[in-house]
Amino acid sequence: MTAPLIGTRVGRVDGRFKVTGEATYTADHTAAGMAHGYLVLASVGGGELLSMDTAAAEAAPGVLAVYSPFNPLKLQSIKTTPDLSFVGQFWLPLQDTTIRHYGQIIGLVVAESYEEARYAASLVTATYEERTPKTDLKAGIPRAVAPPIPVNYEEPELNLLADGVGSVEEALAASEVRVAADYSQPVDTPTAIEPHAVLATWEGGVLTLQVGTQSAVGSAMTTAEALGIDVFQVRVVSPVVGGAFGGKMYLFGHPLLTAVAARELNRPIKTVLTQEQVFTVTGHRSGVAQRIELGASREGVLNAVKHDAWSGFSASGVLFESAAHTTSRVLYKSPNIHVGQKIVPLDLPPTTWVRAPGEQPGSFALESAMDELAVELGIDPIELRMRNYADTMPGREVPWSSKHLDECYRIGAERFGWADRAERPGTQADGDWLVGQGMAGTVYPGNLLPTTVAVVTLRPDGGATVSSATADPGTGMLTVLAMVCAQELGIPLDRVTPLLGDSVLPLNFGAFGSMGTASTASAVAQAAFVARAELIRLAVSDERSPFHGLDPETVEYQEGRLSAPGGRQADFGELLTLLESAGVDGTGASAPGAEKLRYAIHSFGAHFCEVRVHRFTRETRVSRWTSVIDAGQIINEVTARGQIVGGVLFGLGQALLEDARPEAGTGRFANANLADYLLPVHADMPDFDVHFLRHPDTSFNQIGARGIGEIGAVGSAAAIANAVYHATGVRVRDLPITVDKLL
Ligand code: MOS
């Protein structure tokens, strides 16, 4: 028997390809006769563009064209609802003269070289009628409005009240103990290491876009719509993606302009954004302000949870942080729960998806507030959580498909050594470092993508190809494809060729919402099953086959080999060669079914962290970390661990470092570069202890896996803030926790 692969540790199949520099990213590509695009961006934060002087740029060496709203590249408006299109913003660049935010696209210069395009762009001048942009979230709260679209498919405001209770306020007032606090966090950005870039090539009326994206199919659909061409005239190729985290979910404006310019000029064009341009041409996570009030008995049993969130919402964007919904709706049992979500319209670049949109800020507030309640009651934070353990999802009264959060708390506490934690804050030190430990829970919904298709092809050379139009932005999806295919076919991993990142491959919307593995792995498993059946069908029906004429039921497939009574056997490669077959295909699909009606489906986990805060400088360092994750079947422990560590580092960045600051008056991000926008680096990383529970969730899908891309980012900022409180006795509710807040 071939040893099972699923659940083991498998190095990335593309690891060598990537670390040796063999992998080429979008900006590395060239095409014969290629020209270069460079964007011109608005230098004011709002108002109207009155005029642009492009004469000097047009006369500059190497320049082929200068496009602007006064000499536009025509794009069709996107008719699908903005949250379903993959452009990431309501408006398309150069189609009007409105300035919606600082750094929006107002021009595209195309020249023979990148340097010529960039130089010419610097010669373009513009005049504006300026309007002062609104960029301050907290100042905008009085202007907050209900979101224009549902929040997680639910009403923006949700009240679950016990019989006879008139309001959550009434329930709070009747509670023996109450805590109430305001929490906030600033804008943060996806900051993938590969800047956004695109290479557009037309050939025979077909556009090929090379672009790093989480969704080749979504990008192709949106491009076709914006260009007014058929979707079959667009191919989006994205085999490697240098990080995404939500920021490459959508195309934004520059690929569309580049595509149209390439058609107009009849040249392939490559446009590469500078890091600073990435901050304003693409999207960010909005700042979020939240207020939580908890009411409980003296024994720590919750009677009321009131969670309100105010999220920034860009006048350009299509997404906002639905901060209160997943966390306060799901994590704890309480007879009275109110969640409210408002948005604050701001004149900033598009608000978009960033790892765990909604759950990340929501969990920071809720899991901080639970820690505050534990302190108030003098109850251990884990014990408090267990006293409010939810066995059914509040307000739905359906069981979870699979929930083992209690085990996460227990195993995490053991692995971390939670029992050795000092009872009182500010009482542990190691030399000049104050030491503290904190924990928080984490949760993320288990969802499946819309129809996901995979094809497994058995080849005459004895290998197999597995293909699906998904993406691998560092998640390990390519390896997962190969592993599931190899296991289901019972052949060694190195005989499988996985293909993804191309919109012409079998339909798959890609890597987002922690849905990729659950959706794609199930489709691959089914495709392999179908391919095996198809092989047997061929084996019994072709006259040249040693199995010809047999009842297919008597032919067995095992580990790449067919056998039948009477000692007849053949490897599939031998058989396909003998039959002169080009290969045998099996197609598999997965799609959401009725599982959500019968179950609540979420992944859960617990984070434990130790911090050291310097007694004098107040520098905070995370020194130890344990995460225990209940996400169903874990397909590859190596890449799964990478996902959790990466997610936790997003939380670490939010807790201690990240803060994209719009300048008052201009809306310009003052730190729009990787030197001033602080991110966690290797030196900020503790040794991570990541443990997976591995209870397969087969009520959710065939493979039993839920997603893990985002759950690490949920709860981790709260675990750090709680540990900082434990180290210092100072509760910081406004992220990031910088030294000034600990003085
Ligand atoms: Mo994620 S924010 O769904 O890429």
Side-chain angles (χ1 to χ4, degrees):
M1 267 299 282
T2 319
L5 279 167
I6 291 178
T8 63
R9 302 175 50 82
V10 174
R12 288 169 195 267
V13 295
D14 52 347
R16 191 185 161 78
F17 174 66
K18 284 185 172 169
V19 300
T20 54
E22 221 182 305
T24 47
Y25 294 82
T26 305
D28 300 327
H29 291 290
T30 56
M34 181 176 84
H36 295 260
Y38 191 88
L39 297 173
V40 183
L41 306 185
S43 56
V44 301
E48 206 61 33
L49 186 59
L50 298 179
S51 69
M52 284 173 73
D53 186 347
T54 57
E58 279 156 14
V63 171
L64 299 167
V66 180
Y67 300 104
S68 75
F70 307 101
N71 174 32
L73 291 159
K74 186 73 192 128
L75 294 169
Q76 315 287 319
S77 62
I78 301 279
K79 285 174 225 69
T80 47
T81 57
D83 59 316
L84 291 180
S85 89
F86 282 73
V87 69
Q89 56 192 40
F90 281 113
W91 54 279
L92 295 177
L94 308 194
Q95 308 306 299
D96 61 40
T97 53
T98 306
I99 303 296
R100 296 162 176 90
H101 62 82
Y102 185 95
Q104 84 170 48
I105 300 173
I106 58 168
L108 176 71
V109 178
V110 183
E112 294 291 347
S113 73
Y114 175 80
E115 291 74 14
E116 286 167 331
R118 187 169 184 166
Y119 172 67
S122 75
L123 303 176
V124 176
T125 58
T127 61
Y128 306 90
E129 186 180 295
E130 271 190 72
R131 182 170 48 78
T132 306
K134 296 186 174 69
T135 58
D136 186 329
L137 171 71
K138 287 182 191 170
I141 286 178
R143 297 188 288 114
V145 293
I149 46 181
V151 180
N152 294 355
Y153 312 103
E154 292 181 9
E155 290 305 305
E157 184 173 317
L158 186 76
N159 287 293
L160 302 170
L161 298 173
D163 283 349
V165 176
S167 70
V168 76
E169 288 79 13
E170 195 183 305
L172 282 166
S175 304
E176 288 175 341
V177 180
R178 268 175 288 164
V179 296
D182 295 304
Y183 303 89
S184 56
Q185 64 186 63
V187 168
D188 69 86
T189 84
T191 350
I193 202 152
E194 179 201 17
H196 291 242
V198 62
L199 170 56
T201 311
W202 289 85
E203 222 181 303
V206 173
L207 167 67
T208 300
L209 277 188
Q210 281 172 293
V211 59
T213 175
Q214 291 168 251
S215 183
V217 169
S219 298
M221 285 166 45
T222 292
T223 303
E225 194 178 0
L227 270 59
I229 57 177
D230 195 275
V231 71
F232 301 110
Q233 290 173 274
V234 183
R235 178 176 181 187
V236 172
V237 184
S238 182
V240 293
V241 184
F245 316 114
K248 289 177 188 157
M249 168 84 185
Y250 296 133
L251 273 179
F252 300 102
H254 58 286
L256 304 177
L257 290 179
T258 304
V260 187
R263 185 171 59 187
E264 298 260 319
L265 298 172
N266 200 21
R267 300 270 299 263
I269 299 177
K270 178 163 75 177
T271 301
V272 180
L273 272 58
T274 65
Q275 193 62 53
E276 181 157 4
Q277 289 178 335
V278 171
F279 273 75
T280 63
V281 173
T282 76
H284 63 267
R285 186 202 308 274
S286 66
V288 185
Q290 300 178 75
R291 179 165 184 81
I292 293 208
E293 296 180 49
L294 302 176
S297 69
R298 294 225 169 277
E299 290 70 44
V301 177
L302 286 170
N303 178 47
V305 174
K306 182 173 193 275
H307 187 167
D308 286 292
W310 295 266
S311 302
F313 186 54
S314 154
S316 296
V318 294
L319 207 95
F320 55 89
E321 296 294 304
S322 55
H325 274 71
T326 298
T327 43
S328 288
R329 177 74 191 278
V330 172
L331 264 179
Y332 303 110
K333 178 170 73 182
S334 169
N336 303 290
I337 297 176
H338 160 95
V339 297
Q341 177 69 56
K342 292 240 164 70
I343 56 169
V344 177
L346 296 175
D347 304 311
L348 285 175
T351 36
T352 192
W353 300 51
V354 182
R355 214 164 189 168
E359 290 82 7
Q360 189 283 327
S363 65
F364 165 62
L366 179 65
E367 289 300 86
S368 293
M370 285 297 279
D371 202 66
E372 301 205 40
L373 182 62
V375 170
E376 179 71 26
L377 293 165
I379 297 177
D380 178 87
I382 297 175
E383 177 57 28
L384 177 66
R385 284 166 172 81
M386 283 308 298
R387 288 185 193 178
N388 296 286
Y389 199 78
D391 290 309
T392 59
M393 182 170 156
R396 282 202 58 202
E397 310 315 329
V398 290
W400 267 286
S401 57
S402 171
K403 176 181 179 180
H404 303 275
L405 177 58
D406 48 351
E407 205 179 325
C408 295
Y409 294 145
R410 182 169 51 73
I411 293 178
E414 277 165 25
R415 294 177 76 97
F416 184 78
W418 184 252
D420 302 332
R421 177 183 188 251
E423 210 170 295
R424 288 195 310 110
T427 57
Q428 300 173 112
D430 178 7
D432 280 337
W433 294 86
L434 307 176
V435 181
Q437 295 87 17
M439 62 81 57
T442 173
V443 60
Y444 197 82
N447 290 318
L448 292 173
L449 291 165
T451 308
T452 297
V453 183
V455 172
V456 166
T457 305
L458 301 172
R459 303 189 312 246
D461 66 359
T465 302
V466 54
S467 54
S468 192
T470 184
D472 188 339
T475 53
M477 177 55 78
L478 196 71
T479 308
V480 163
L481 278 181
M483 286 173 73
V484 176
C485 180
Q487 170 146 335
E488 298 296 322
L489 294 177
I491 61 174
L493 190 67
D494 61 10
R495 279 168 60 189
V496 176
T497 309
L499 297 176
L500 50 66
D502 190 329
S503 63
V504 303
L505 292 175
L507 179 69
N508 189 319
F509 279 91
F512 53 90
S514 298
M515 297 185 280
T517 295
S519 307
T520 308
S522 295
V524 170
Q526 195 186 59
F529 180 86
V530 174
R532 287 162 48 162
E534 191 57 25
L535 177 73
I536 291 173
R537 196 196 58 76
L538 181 70
V540 300
S541 61
D542 191 302
E543 287 178 358
R544 293 166 292 179
S545 162
F547 304 93
H548 179 245
L550 292 181
D551 176 355
E553 296 292 318
T554 64
V555 182
E556 253 194 68
Y557 176 102
Q558 243 187 5
E559 296 180 33
R561 200 164 177 76
L562 289 183
S563 59
R568 279 176 276 197
Q569 44 181 309
D571 284 336
F572 72 75
E574 288 166 18
L575 183 71
L576 294 171
T577 305
L578 178 70
L579 307 187
E580 295 172 42
S581 163
V584 166
D585 285 345
T587 300
S590 77
E595 66 279 352
K596 287 259 167 172
L597 300 176
R598 281 179 279 145
Y599 300 105
I601 303 173
H602 294 86
S603 288
F604 293 93
H607 299 300
F608 294 79
C609 104
E610 180 175 271
V611 300
R612 282 154 188 262
V613 180
H614 195 271
R615 190 186 299 280
F616 304 113
T617 67
R618 296 280 148 168
E619 170 190 358
T620 300
R621 292 266 154 197
V622 175
S623 50
R624 220 150 55 76
W625 195 280
T626 294
S627 290
V628 179
I629 303 294
D630 167 31
Q633 171 70 275
I634 296 301
I635 293 181
N636 182 1
E637 171 115 16
V638 172
T639 49
R641 181 182 189 278
Q643 286 288 77
I644 300 304
V645 168
V648 169
L649 286 174
F650 266 63
L652 192 154
Q654 282 149 344
L656 301 177
L657 301 165
E658 297 187 47
D659 182 357
R661 294 204 183 180
E663 242 172 21
T666 68
R668 169 183 172 270
F669 284 127
N671 52 349
N673 59 70
L674 295 188
D676 297 320
Y677 181 82
L678 302 182
L679 286 167
V681 296
H682 276 97
D684 297 307
M685 277 177 63
D687 280 336
F688 280 100
D689 168 33
V690 177
H691 180 76
F692 294 103
L693 295 188
R694 301 166 176 274
H695 300 291
D697 188 354
T698 47
S699 306
F700 177 41
N701 60 50
Q702 177 186 349
I703 211 95
R706 293 188 301 265
I708 43 173
E710 286 160 285
I711 191 166
V714 183
S716 38
I720 294 170
N722 295 342
V724 168
Y725 170 78
H726 189 244
T728 61
V730 180
R731 178 71 65 181
V732 181
R733 303 183 182 92
D734 177 41
L735 298 181
I737 304 170
T738 44
V739 291
D740 51 307
K741 297 173 189 170
L742 294 174
L743 291 174

